[in-house]
Each structure stands twice: as structure tokens, then as C-alpha cells.
Amino acid sequence: LDVNKIDDEAPVVHSFTAREGSATNSAEVTSVSLTTTAKTKDVYFHINATDNRGVDSVGLVSNLFISNGLGENPVEQEDLRSGNDYVFKKTYKYDDYTFGDVTAPNHTDVLTLTVKDAANNSHLPLPQISIGISKIDNEDPEIVSIALESFTNLTDDANNDLGTSPKIKLTSSQHISTNNSPELTFLV
């Protein structure tokens, strides 16, 4: 009589959350805001999973990375692993996304968790978390310099008009800091 002992029991995911920090009591995250003055945002994904024989692998993938090459997949922080607790980190970067709020195309990152045991049993359905991404330009424009290259078609009529098509070209050459709006004054 041959007896085969088979493990057909899938791992159990007890919790899966996105947080601002690596501590389990840090605030939960549902969206990130990337701005010209704060170009990166770290999100930590906390997972607690068990299995009757032991969890063999935990993986987390980003649909924006897999489908569109935007950003990157989260990376496990092995130094933060403790017992049945796993932590992954993803850094959202300003340069990876187009301008827009969380409703814009490619501004919702769906992260899918896979937990397997040694017998290749998976927790089903695969748990997911969505992170909304806003990319905002919050930096005021600044004029770096103004240079007058040419000024033509001046006329000296009774109204002191500049003519039918004055030509002025502004160019940038060096940084100028100013707290006031620049003024350009012409005396004719």
C-alpha cells in the first residue's frame, strides 16, 4: 500500500496594507502626491501571511510597471522581515508619471500580492491594493534673464508708436532671483 501525503492547503493572508512608513502603526496610504518640490514618495506595503507548513515566497507586482513600464515593482525589505510579517517598499518618482490627478490615465497603481508555499499553493483570490498617483506642478515660473536682441521698425509719428511690427526677442542666459514680478520698460 502506497501512501502519498500532499499539502493542498493554501497560505492565508491575514493583513495587507499600504503605509507611510516601515512601522506597522504608521498611517495608511491610499494615494501619493508628487510635486516639483517633493519629487519622491515612499510607500511601505505590510503583509502578514501564514501557512500550515510555512510560507515559501511572497511577491508584490505593480500593474503600471508590468503593463506600461511606469515606475518599478516594490522591493522586499528583508531586514524588516519578522516571523510572518513581510515589508515591501516602493518609491514613486515624479519623472515616471504624466501630469494629472488620480483620475488621469495611468495614475492608479494596482499592486497584486502573491503568497505561495513549498507545494506551490497560492492564497486565492490574489489580494490587491490600489494607490492613486497625482503629479502636480506647484513651482512658480521664474525668469532667468531677459536680453534685448533686436528692436526694429520704430517710427517717429505723432503718437510715438513703435510701428506696424516691432521685433523683440527675449532669451535666457543666467539665473536671476527675484521676489517681485519683473518689469520691462522702454523709453522711446
Side-chain angles (χ1 to χ4, degrees):
L1 178 66
D2 291 328
V3 176
N4 289 329
K5 183 176 181 180
I6 300 170
D7 175 13
D8 61 357
E9 186 175 338
V12 177
V13 175
H14 300 283
S15 63
F16 176 33
T17 56
R19 299 192 176 275
E20 286 186 352
S22 59
T24 55
N25 62 350
S26 58
E28 286 196 36
V29 173
T30 57
S31 63
V32 296
S33 181
L34 304 170
T35 67
T36 45
T37 54
K39 293 191 173 189
T40 62
K41 177 68 176 174
D42 290 337
V43 176
Y44 293 82
F45 299 91
H46 294 256
I47 299 128
N48 179 274
T50 59
D51 183 69
N52 62 319
R53 293 177 59 200
V55 170
D56 187 58
S57 67
V58 177
L60 191 58
V61 295
S62 156
N63 77 309
L64 288 181
F65 176 70
I66 298 298
S67 301
N68 303 311
L70 298 174
E72 57 194 24
N73 278 325
V75 176
E76 184 179 358
Q77 306 299 291
E78 293 183 10
D79 57 323
L80 298 176
R81 186 189 294 179
S82 174
N84 299 317
D85 295 319
Y86 303 82
V87 179
F88 285 72
K89 181 174 101 170
K90 178 168 182 172
T91 301
Y92 289 90
K93 299 175 185 172
Y94 181 86
D95 292 336
D96 290 339
Y97 304 96
T98 58
F99 286 102
D101 64 14
V102 296
T103 63
N106 295 323
H107 280 248
T108 299
D109 194 13
V110 179
L111 298 116
T112 302
L113 175 65
T114 304
V115 179
K116 293 184 178 183
D117 64 14
N120 210 31
N121 297 309
S122 294
H123 177 91
L124 296 173
L126 300 176
Q128 294 182 324
I129 287 180
S130 294
I131 302 293
I133 305 160
S134 294
K135 179 177 177 177
I136 302 164
D137 177 3
N138 68 339
E139 189 172 25
D140 293 332
E142 66 179 49
I143 295 176
V144 292
S145 76
I146 298 174
L148 186 59
E149 185 176 280
S150 64
F151 198 70
T152 61
N153 290 339
L154 291 174
T155 61
D156 192 11
D157 63 10
N159 296 321
N160 227 7
D161 290 332
L162 294 178
T164 55
S165 54
K167 299 196 177 6
I168 299 173
K169 181 176 181 182
L170 303 177
T171 59
S172 299
S173 60
Q174 62 184 2
H175 180 76
I176 295 175
S177 271
T178 178
N179 292 330
N180 300 320
S181 296
E183 291 184 13
L184 196 56
T185 305
F186 296 98
L187 186 60
V188 181

